[in-house]
Amino acid sequence: MAGQRISVLRLEGVSQEHFMQHLYPQRKPLVLEGIDLGACTSKWTVDYLSQVGGKKEVKIHVAAVAQMDFISKNFVYRTLPFDKLVQRAAEEKHKEFFMSENEKYYLRSLGEDPRKDVADIRKQFPLLEGDIKFPKFFKEEQFFSSVFRISSPGLQLWTHYDVMDNFLIQVTGKKRVVLFSPRDAQYLYLSGTKSEVLNIDNPDLAKYPLFSKARRYECSLKAGDVLFIPALWFHNVISEEFGVGVNVFWKHLPSECYDKTDTYGNKDPTAASRAAQILDRAIKTLAELPEEYQDFYARRMVLHIQDKAYSKNFE
């Protein structure tokens, strides 16, 4: 098991002013209840979505197991008409399938051209636009994307972070979300933006001993709940039921800080990418020295980074 367990704060009836002045500056996850999301929480049934979404082709993840792993890619990409996806994702067992009758489905909506266009449910699924209201807690010019997500019951997404703030709107179904602070990154065995620890409830501590030190923030989301996930917070999402959700991402840093080629909201800010490249060059330079010297000067570099760049303003 991970170490300390902390329940994510839940608040009802939070205004935009109270959120921005008192809650947002804390940079911690928060579940908001009672937000006006429109008719989607009652209208978006399997039949309604199948009818309104129609035969539009969508690219989906298909996995033979419940725990999806983006590092090892234990899933395949397939294409289905939207109505077929909704119907299959709502099933426990499938009469029609790609790999097995127990396979899991996951839709993460994409832009028209995923290399150039961001996902926006209002553009990709315009007939659904009138059903959903986004929380107006940020300025319209900050808007980055709205990602439509559909998950089979039992599906678990890998632990990862995003570089923008976002609201996870749980429209239908239930999810369990486990989050980890950016301050605990050193305990999560990262490969890029993703953690190698798949089974967060029963981790292999012989392989991942530091994982036991990670503080675990937990919450359950029901239809109508909105989870605020601050940028850089790691999150692992388990769909306890067939569920439909929408992530709304927005730019909380100046636009020039972000990679202009990023359509998913998961590329590190350009300054961070440049710093990582400089560090790689420094490490290669150290390789010109004998191992004893490499080790000594690498440790000095780490101490220097801690002294100059680690923040003392967060817990």
Side-chain angles (χ1 to χ4, degrees):
M1 288 290 186
Q4 184 182 3
R5 289 173 179 252
I6 304 165
S7 295
V8 174
L9 180 65
R10 304 181 70 94
L11 292 175
E12 186 173 359
V14 173
S15 67
Q16 189 266 357
E17 181 182 12
H18 182 70
F19 177 80
M20 293 306 300
Q21 288 187 7
H22 302 287
L23 301 171
Y24 184 77
Q26 296 179 29
R27 309 301 296 159
K28 288 187 175 181
L30 172 70
V31 178
L32 302 172
E33 299 177 335
I35 302 293
D36 181 11
L37 300 174
C40 57
T41 54
S42 58
K43 287 181 72 173
W44 286 8
T45 62
V46 172
D47 289 342
Y48 177 80
L49 289 174
S50 298
Q51 178 183 353
V52 174
K55 302 293 183 182
K56 174 187 175 74
E57 294 276 315
V58 289
K59 187 176 182 180
I60 58 173
H61 303 67
V62 183
V65 296
Q67 285 182 336
M68 290 179 62
D69 179 6
F70 201 84
I71 298 174
S72 69
K73 298 289 197 301
N74 66 345
F75 55 84
V76 295
Y77 292 106
R78 293 291 183 266
T79 301
L80 276 177
F82 183 80
D83 58 349
K84 286 288 187 185
L85 161 68
V86 174
Q87 292 159 16
R88 285 201 202 180
E91 300 170 343
E92 290 285 350
K93 290 187 181 295
H94 315 295
K95 292 181 180 178
E96 296 180 274
F97 49 83
F98 295 105
M99 296 181 290
S100 78
E101 63 179 6
N102 298 311
E103 65 192 21
K104 304 292 185 183
Y105 300 91
Y106 170 56
L107 168 71
R108 189 263 189 225
S109 65
L110 304 171
E112 284 77 10
D113 182 347
R115 295 169 298 178
K116 299 178 181 178
D117 304 317
V118 300
D120 188 349
I121 189 173
R122 298 170 296 187
K123 295 180 180 178
Q124 284 91 51
F125 299 91
L127 294 179
L128 296 175
E129 178 181 0
D131 297 339
I132 187 168
K133 297 179 182 178
F134 298 157
K136 296 295 184 181
F137 287 7
F138 56 92
K139 297 177 181 177
E140 187 61 35
E141 59 266 27
Q142 293 178 282
F143 173 84
F144 176 72
S145 66
S146 58
V147 181
F148 195 20
R149 300 186 191 271
I150 295 178
S151 304
S152 292
L155 183 74
Q156 182 173 12
L157 293 183
W158 54 91
T159 302
H160 68 283
Y161 71 87
D162 301 297
V163 301
M164 296 182 192
D165 290 345
N166 84 87
F167 285 130
L168 169 54
I169 302 170
Q170 188 63 25
V171 180
T172 68
K174 295 180 181 178
K175 281 191 174 79
R176 177 167 66 94
V177 185
V178 177
L179 304 104
F180 301 95
S181 167
R183 302 276 283 184
D184 287 347
Q186 66 268 34
Y187 307 135
L188 299 180
Y189 296 88
L190 298 183
S191 176
T193 63
K194 303 157 189 73
S195 170
E196 295 179 9
V197 185
L198 284 186
N199 192 342
I200 61 171
D201 295 316
N202 188 26
D204 182 351
L205 294 181
K207 186 175 183 181
Y208 306 114
L210 295 178
F211 187 73
S212 62
K213 296 184 178 183
R215 293 166 295 172
R216 176 181 174 124
Y217 293 73
E218 299 183 350
C219 64
S220 294
L221 301 181
K222 62 183 185 302
D225 285 344
V226 177
L227 173 61
F228 169 54
I229 306 177
L232 309 184
W233 274 76
F234 297 88
H235 44 286
N236 183 289
V237 181
I238 303 100
S239 296
E240 297 182 327
E241 301 174 347
F242 164 74
V244 178
V246 178
N247 279 96
V248 182
F249 291 87
W250 69 92
K251 298 178 180 180
H252 66 291
L253 302 177
S255 291
E256 59 269 21
C257 293
Y258 299 102
D259 188 322
K260 290 180 172 57
T261 67
D262 186 8
T263 58
Y264 286 82
N266 60 7
K267 288 187 178 181
D268 290 321
T270 53
S273 297
R274 290 199 308 271
Q277 293 169 0
I278 293 168
L279 179 60
D280 284 340
R281 290 198 294 270
I283 292 171
K284 288 179 181 178
T285 302
L286 285 183
E288 299 172 9
L289 296 169
E291 182 179 359
E292 179 183 3
Y293 284 77
Q294 286 185 47
D295 181 88
F296 174 71
Y297 286 104
R299 291 176 188 274
R300 283 193 60 187
M301 287 170 60
V302 169
L303 291 172
H304 187 63
I305 290 172
Q306 289 177 340
D307 181 54
K308 297 296 184 182
Y310 277 28
S311 172
K312 299 175 176 64
N313 296 324
F314 300 102
E315 6 173 307

